Each structure stands twice: as C-alpha cells, then as structure tokens.
Amino acid sequence: MIKIALVGDIGSGKSHIAKLFNFPVFNADFEVAKIYKTSRQCFMRLKKKLPNYFLSFPAKKDQIIKAITEDESNLKKITHIVHPEIRKKMNIFLKNNKKKEAVVLDIPLFLENKLNKKGDILIFVQSKKSEIIKRLNKRDNFNINLFNKFKKIQLPLNFKKKKSNYIIKNNFTNRSVKKNIQKIIKEII
C-alpha cells in the first residue's frame, strides 16, 4: 500500500484534493471533531488539564477556541491529549486499508508530528496566499487569532515544499488539479 500524504498551508485545499485521488482518505480534522463529540475519555482528560474551559460533555468548538485564544500554551496541552488518539485512529485506518493500492493521509501536522515514514509520498499543495485568505474569510467559524496560533506550530512552508516528492498548484479549479493528480498517480502506481 502506498501512503500519500498531503502537506501545505492552512486553507490551501488539501482536504478537497485528497478526495480527488479516489483512494481511501484519512482526514485528521474530521477525526478530531469526532473525538471532541464522542470521546468521554478525551473530554475528561481535557477537563482535568483545562477545567475552566471544558465544563460539560461533549467538548464544544467555542470552548476549544476560547482555551486556545486566551492562552497559547493551552494549544500544546490540547494537542498532547488529542494527537495520540488521532495516531491510534490513523493506525486503525491503515490496518483496515492495507490491501488497497494506496491511501491518502490528510493530516495538517503530518511532518510536525513526525508521522512520515520512508517510502511515503509527500505532496505539497501550493496555493496563493491571497486566495487562501479569501476562502478562509468565507468560513463561518474563521477566527484570525486561532489561525495565527495554528500557523505558529506549523513548520515553514518552504521546508514542507522541499521535503515533498510532488507539488500540486491549487488554483481552486478541479480541472487542472485533476490533471496533476492523474499524472502523479501514473508515476507512483
């Protein structure tokens, strides 16, 4: 099984591009949201570490945002609790899909969490900064403070780009992106 990991900036279109590969996709953001809604164990650990923010189950998005925006060190506390859970879910996903030709890993902090293994195919999703900001501003829950705090924990984009085997230039039109994906798939499979 070939593991394809998408890396790039927040809002660059990684999740959308992941679906266009037509392979099973592990979407870490989706899994994190599921954990907040369904894992009592995770909630209890969050409540123990940050009792002023996590009051009642399930963990709510506004509680998480408030905890992070009020104190930057809370982001680290939250990730130390949530990331091991995501790693477990990713391993289950990989085990369940081991007979597939390839899988796509849509994990925003893939390199930061040292999830890359020799033989993984890294694809950098490159998008214009102005286009990213325009798209992010359209999101209902976009918070510039939160965005900036998450940017701080990410590796520089140039580093991610250098580490990558391929670059997909996302101009937010499916046609050109699909062409790039088909070309990459032909080369790796």
Side-chain angles (χ1 to χ4, degrees):
M1 168 192 43
I2 296 166
K3 288 190 284 179
I4 302 165
L6 299 180
V7 297
D9 207 356
I10 297 168
S12 61
K14 295 181 298 293
S15 296
H16 177 70
I17 289 171
K19 293 175 198 164
L20 298 177
F21 274 88
N22 289 323
F23 292 123
V25 175
F26 180 79
N27 181 317
D29 286 344
F30 175 77
E31 294 299 330
V32 168
K34 228 165 52 176
I35 285 170
Y36 287 141
K37 286 179 189 155
T38 62
S39 175
R40 281 192 184 277
Q41 180 187 3
C42 185
F43 174 80
M44 294 311 287
R45 291 180 65 210
L46 288 168
K47 186 178 171 86
K48 187 176 179 180
K49 280 273 187 210
L50 303 163
N52 297 336
Y53 300 100
F54 295 95
L55 307 172
S56 64
F57 182 78
K60 292 161 195 66
K61 201 168 203 155
D62 59 333
Q63 295 169 330
I64 298 157
I65 291 168
K66 188 176 180 187
I68 295 168
T69 54
E70 285 186 4
D71 184 347
E72 212 168 291
S73 69
N74 289 341
L75 178 55
K76 206 170 213 148
K77 292 173 187 171
I78 293 168
T79 58
H80 280 303
I81 293 168
V82 176
H83 286 178
E85 297 300 316
I86 293 303
R87 197 178 287 258
K88 283 180 204 166
K89 287 186 174 286
M90 181 191 73
N91 288 332
I92 292 166
F93 168 83
L94 292 172
K95 189 178 172 190
N96 290 343
N97 289 287
K98 69 181 176 207
K99 287 188 176 19
K100 302 286 186 198
E101 200 169 23
V103 294
V104 180
L105 303 174
D106 177 11
I107 304 171
L109 299 172
F110 186 77
L111 291 172
E112 291 82 349
N113 286 318
K114 297 172 176 57
L115 295 172
N116 51 315
K117 304 266 189 279
K118 193 176 176 158
D120 290 353
I121 304 295
L122 293 180
I123 301 174
F124 182 80
V125 177
Q126 183 175 324
S127 305
K128 285 184 183 170
K129 191 90 179 144
S130 59
E131 199 60 38
I132 289 171
I133 297 297
K134 192 166 76 176
R135 290 182 69 245
L136 287 173
N137 278 321
K138 287 181 184 176
R139 291 183 183 176
D140 289 338
N141 58 354
F142 179 64
N143 180 318
I144 191 73
N145 290 336
L146 200 60
F147 171 79
N148 289 329
K149 290 191 190 314
F150 277 108
K151 286 287 287 175
K152 282 183 186 176
I153 64 168
Q154 292 197 337
L155 291 167
L157 293 177
N158 283 342
F159 176 82
K160 290 181 180 188
K161 195 173 182 179
K162 280 181 192 165
K163 281 276 196 196
S164 296
N165 305 92
Y166 298 93
I167 296 168
I168 291 180
K169 290 187 177 172
N170 186 10
N171 60 2
F172 300 99
T173 61
N174 278 348
R175 208 172 123 208
S176 68
V177 170
K178 281 181 180 177
K179 255 193 220 174
N180 276 319
I181 289 170
Q182 291 312 313
K183 192 174 143 190
I184 291 168
I185 289 172
K186 273 184 184 170
E187 284 184 33
I188 64 174
I189 293 181

